[in-house]
Amino acid sequence: MMDIALIAHDRKKDEMVNFAIAYEHVLKHHRLYATGTTGTRIMDSTELSVHRFMSGPLGGDQQIGALVAENKMDLIIFLRDPLMAQPHEPDIIALLRLCDVQGIPVATNVATGELLIKALERGDFAWRELVHKYKPGIEE
């Protein structure tokens, strides 16, 4: 079971909901986390259980980033809106940087998100279990 974060900027929330509906059969086998409104909308449209953090601009990106920093997140689907300035852009960049530092797969658009979900469905992320098992300080 993997820990997966689902994040979407305002103009990408419908796309994230559609993504969650399309891949509910895969996502239901994992622990899901999301920022505020995104998590609510996913739960309202699916039967998925989602742990919700605060809204991104209010610190939700940083809350997910804290799990990434502790290597407690396995995959992030972050549907970003590249055409709209975000007031919390430094938090977003920090989250993406942490993913790079910890080697956490992250998708920033639905095309890459689908590739990662298909890989998850095939079992291609089993290596994350080894990361958790052998990394000092990581407890399950």
Side-chain angles (χ1 to χ4, degrees):
M1 181 178 289
M2 299 283 143
D3 293 296
I4 301 171
L6 304 171
I7 309 166
H9 286 151
D10 288 344
R11 296 192 318 184
K12 297 291 185 172
K13 289 190 189 317
D14 288 341
E15 197 172 359
M16 179 61 83
V17 168
N18 290 334
F19 183 87
I21 291 168
Y23 293 105
E24 184 171 359
H25 67 284
V26 177
L27 295 170
K28 71 181 180 182
H29 300 291
H30 302 281
R31 283 182 296 273
L32 303 178
Y33 302 84
T35 48
T37 306
T38 302
T40 299
R41 292 202 43 202
I42 290 169
M43 288 191 297
D44 288 346
S45 299
T46 67
E47 294 188 20
L48 296 170
S49 175
V50 181
H51 174 86
R52 291 174 50 242
F53 290 110
M54 289 187 253
S55 172
L58 298 178
D61 296 335
Q62 291 180 335
Q63 288 176 301
I64 291 172
L67 292 176
V68 172
E70 295 178 19
N71 208 4
K72 293 183 179 178
M73 191 60 62
D74 296 302
L75 174 66
I76 296 179
I77 310 285
F78 188 168
L79 301 186
R80 298 177 64 200
D81 185 350
L83 302 177
M84 185 108 173
Q86 301 296 325
H88 61 296
E89 190 69 25
D91 298 339
I92 295 164
I93 298 303
L95 174 60
L96 296 175
R97 184 180 307 115
L98 284 169
C99 289
D100 288 341
V101 168
Q102 294 293 351
I104 307 299
V106 59
T108 59
N109 59 62
V110 75
T112 309
E114 287 185 323
L115 291 171
L116 291 180
I117 289 294
K118 292 290 189 179
L120 180 67
E121 189 175 26
R122 283 192 311 265
D124 293 350
F125 287 106
W127 61 272
R128 288 294 303 161
E129 294 171 11
L130 294 174
V131 168
H132 291 299
K133 185 174 182 181
Y134 294 107
K135 185 155 183 158
I138 299 297
E139 297 177 23
E140 295 197 52

